[in-house]
Amino acid sequence: MPTPVSTEEVARKLKLAYQYPKEDHTARTLDSVQSLLSLMGKDHNQTNVLREAAALVAKNLRIREVAVGLRGVDGMYRFEILVGYRPEAEAAHKKLAYRAEDFGDSSVYKGISISRLTKIYFSEDDAYMESEQDTYNRPMLLKARRMADDEAMEGDYVSTHILSPSGDFLGWIETGGTTGWKLPDAAAMKWIELVASILGLFLATRATRDHR
């Protein structure tokens, strides 16, 4: 006959599982999201928050390259934070500037929409303009062929829009493939969209505070 279990034992087991979770990707990522939210509450420095968000995506989702771009005071969009890039590729990214309409111009950037916020761009579709050729992180791999439907190639990237709560386009998160040279899966894309939404709220709140 089963032995009754006390609520104290249930609580103890739950507390231990919470403090020392098994190798659970979801639990680790949630912990990192909580850390990001905590930082936003204590540190209003935009660069620090963006860097923490990029590190969250790179580390927890095992993404090779992560970039965060924002709209400047002149209305142009530029890369602000880059993680995982060669110094030369990072410097090349920093020289670029985009108009808002560039992000929706399918005649130039042949992306495929995955969701309202996310588009994926494939190397085979010449996803880089002439002015962006120096931004490739591993240009020697450009001639490789895709051999599996989940394989990430040099030149593939995923772009996730950062929107304010009112829908204003504030910036974007750009990611490459995983450290295992796979494309980010659907779960990873949803995590990135969550991070983008958090950043959208942070940036909009910061802008409102700065204009007071």
Side-chain angles (χ1 to χ4, degrees):
M1 185 173 181
T3 304
V5 177
S6 70
T7 55
E8 289 82 1
E9 177 62 19
V10 173
R12 186 188 71 81
K13 186 174 181 180
L14 286 172
K15 187 174 182 179
L16 284 173
Y18 183 88
Q19 293 177 336
Y20 308 103
K22 297 178 181 178
E23 278 299 309
D24 185 342
H25 173 264
T26 299
R28 289 198 311 272
T29 308
L30 282 172
D31 284 345
S32 295
V33 169
Q34 287 182 328
S35 295
L36 175 62
L37 291 169
S38 177
L39 176 66
M40 288 167 49
K42 296 181 295 185
D43 187 348
H44 297 153
N45 183 286
Q46 179 173 289
T47 299
N48 291 344
V49 171
L50 295 180
R51 188 177 291 119
E52 180 76 8
L56 184 164
V57 172
K59 180 179 179 181
N60 288 277
L61 304 180
R62 299 183 175 90
I63 302 296
R64 288 196 316 273
E65 302 106 7
V66 181
V68 182
L70 296 181
R71 183 178 64 200
V73 294
D74 60 355
M76 300 295 286
Y77 294 78
R78 297 177 176 86
F79 289 100
E80 298 286 339
I81 301 294
L82 295 110
V83 174
Y85 293 86
R86 293 181 299 111
E88 297 85 354
E90 180 172 342
H93 277 85
K94 291 281 191 175
K95 295 176 183 178
L96 300 174
Y98 302 94
R99 303 166 301 165
E101 52 265 35
D102 291 333
F103 290 85
D105 190 348
S106 58
S107 66
V108 178
Y109 299 101
K110 301 173 184 178
I112 298 173
S113 293
I114 301 299
S115 71
R116 182 176 67 92
L117 297 178
T118 300
K119 277 188 175 183
I120 188 167
Y121 299 82
F122 294 112
S123 178
E124 293 92 332
D125 293 329
D126 297 321
Y128 287 58
M129 294 179 63
E130 186 64 32
S131 61
E132 299 169 320
Q133 295 302 305
D134 291 338
T135 65
Y136 286 112
N137 211 28
R138 299 170 181 82
M140 71 290 296
L141 300 178
L142 286 172
K143 294 183 179 180
R145 297 181 62 186
R146 195 184 308 271
M147 305 303 292
D149 59 9
D150 63 347
E151 183 178 5
M153 308 299 295
E154 178 67 21
D156 291 345
Y157 64 94
V158 176
S159 179
T160 304
H161 282 193
I162 299 172
L163 304 181
S164 72
S166 63
D168 190 20
F169 177 38
L170 303 177
W172 78 107
I173 300 174
E174 189 168 298
T175 54
T178 69
T179 54
W181 287 90
K182 300 294 185 183
L183 292 169
D185 60 17
M189 291 183 184
K190 287 179 180 291
W191 279 116
I192 295 168
E193 289 185 345
L194 174 61
V195 172
S197 297
I198 291 171
L199 290 181
L201 179 59
F202 169 76
L203 293 168
T205 302
R206 187 174 183 274
T208 299
R209 184 176 59 248
D210 290 348
H211 281 98
R212 286 177 181 171

